[in-house]
Amino acid sequence: MANYPTETHRFAADDGVELAWTEMGEGRPVVLIHGYFSTAAVNWIKYGHAEKLAERGFRVIMPDLRGHGLSDKPHDPAAYPPDVLMRDGMALVAHLGLTDYDLAGYSLGGRTVLRMLVNGATPRRAVLCGMGLQGLIDTQGRGGYFRRVLTNLGSFERGSSEWLTEAFLKTTKGDPVALLNVLETFVDTPREQIAAITVPTLVATGVDDDDNGSGEAVAELLPHGSFRSIPGNHMSAVTRPELGQAILDFLSA
């Protein structure tokens, strides 16, 4: 597979926070939004998903969420109002002047994609990866888990779920203060709002991923939803080539 070069750019969000995005390839724009604790580079580039899309004629646009990666990581809680990640995503689409594009995300990125859809984003197609119904309608459940990890770093039993989450935080060089603030941005989406989304949407989750509830339930709720199961759990499915292939297949159909 060709080794595609990347370019990283920055722009100011609506409130002045500097956000970064990385691009790869040329052609049809697709915006890929990474998960919580992760980065564009880890979520999309490291495991070859972005390159797979670029090779097939996509312009792959990968933002780093505020508080993550190469974007600013302010410690002021005022920089993390509810739904700010959704507004940042909308701001990037507007900044780039995208009108005919696709939109996909993993985990928190998938939830951010959904929040964009219910707030007026109009991509041609959308993909929600690593996100189930419970994680959309009741965001505080999963948020409580991450809050416990971030406020008790260094105390978890080796091999436990919390220990593995903390280990991932270290690999991405995450900022615990900024990431705690990100938890305050989560907004629940009622079932009826999900059921009103008309954009054709693929839901893809790991066969052993129950971190955020049922992905199939999301697909069933969406008027134009489809579901695809991929190998792995919430942490491992993102590393599997089947994830990038599922996104590519849906966007190329």
Side-chain angles (χ1 to χ4, degrees), residues 1-6 24 45 51 55:
M1 197 179 276
N3 184 20
Y4 280 85
T6 60
M24 178 189 293
I45 298 173
E51 196 163 336
E55 190 178 52

Side-chain angles (χ1 to χ4, degrees), residues 23-38:
E23 288 200 25
M24 178 189 293
E26 296 178 350
R28 176 173 186 81
V30 55
V31 178
L32 302 181
I33 305 178
H34 67 76
Y36 188 53
F37 275 35
S38 194

